[in-house]
């Protein structure tokens, strides 16, 4: 299994409950397809660098997970189908990025799974 990191931006017109619901939906999708979620962070409402779909801010979320490559395709298809997602990016972490992610989680006081 490879380790991936995905960041997605939700539209700012959502309530906090709706944003959390959408994140839970994607976490459930990952879990149902055999992925192991390593870390989750909600960065909150932030200003965008440029307008996307006439919006200047959005709810940023980060998910780090271990999964097979086919799961990433399913996740990105779900992102494209969800109207609440205005932008997303998923990257495969190499050994250096994984080490950095572990140090970052330790610094934030989160449990590091090995």
């Amino acid at each position: 299994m490879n380790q991936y990191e995905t960041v997605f931006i939700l539209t700012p017109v959502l309530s906090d409950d709706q944003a959390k619901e959408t994140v839970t939906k994607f976490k459930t999708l990952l879990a149902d397809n055999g992925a192991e979620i390593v870390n989750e962070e909600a960065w909150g409402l932030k200003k965008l660098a440029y307008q996307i779909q006439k919006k200047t801010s959005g709810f940023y979320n980060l998910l780090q997970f271990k999964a097979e490559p086919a799961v990433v395709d399913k996740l990105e298809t779900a992102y494209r189908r969800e109207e609440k997602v205005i932008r997303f990016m998923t990257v495969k972490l190499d050994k250096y990025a994984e080490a950095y992610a572990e140090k970052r989680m330790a610094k934030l006081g989160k449990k590091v799974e090995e």
Side-chain angles (χ1 to χ4, degrees):
M1 289 211 292
N2 299 323
Q3 185 159 341
Y4 296 93
E5 180 175 273
T6 184
V7 176
F8 55 97
I9 306 171
L10 300 174
T11 183
V13 298
L14 301 175
S15 69
D16 284 339
D17 292 336
Q18 289 172 322
K20 287 177 186 173
E21 234 175 70
T22 307
V23 173
T24 304
K25 175 181 159 184
F26 293 127
K27 285 173 45 181
T28 304
L29 178 101
L30 287 170
D32 290 347
N33 286 294
E36 172 193 344
I37 296 175
V38 178
N39 185 24
E40 171 197 358
E41 295 176 22
W43 294 341
L45 187 66
K46 293 191 176 284
K47 189 174 184 316
L48 301 173
Y50 54 89
Q51 279 192 359
I52 302 172
Q53 299 174 3
K54 298 185 180 179
K55 296 181 176 52
T56 57
S57 62
F59 288 102
Y60 281 70
N61 294 282
L62 167 91
L63 290 175
Q64 291 176 340
F65 59 95
K66 293 180 182 179
E68 298 298 325
V71 176
V72 175
D73 292 336
K74 291 178 183 178
L75 178 65
E76 290 189 347
T77 300
Y79 285 152
R80 288 184 186 97
R81 289 181 177 161
E82 181 62 61
E83 293 178 354
K84 298 172 187 169
V85 176
I86 57 177
R87 193 66 96 231
F88 66 89
M89 178 181 267
T90 304
V91 294
K92 179 182 169 189
L93 301 179
D94 61 6
K95 65 181 180 181
Y96 304 108
E98 286 182 33
Y100 175 77
E102 287 177 9
K103 283 198 311 194
R104 191 170 157 273
M105 285 190 303
K107 183 178 175 184
L108 293 173
K110 299 207 176 198
K111 180 183 168 196
V112 178
E113 296 179 17
E114 298 172 358

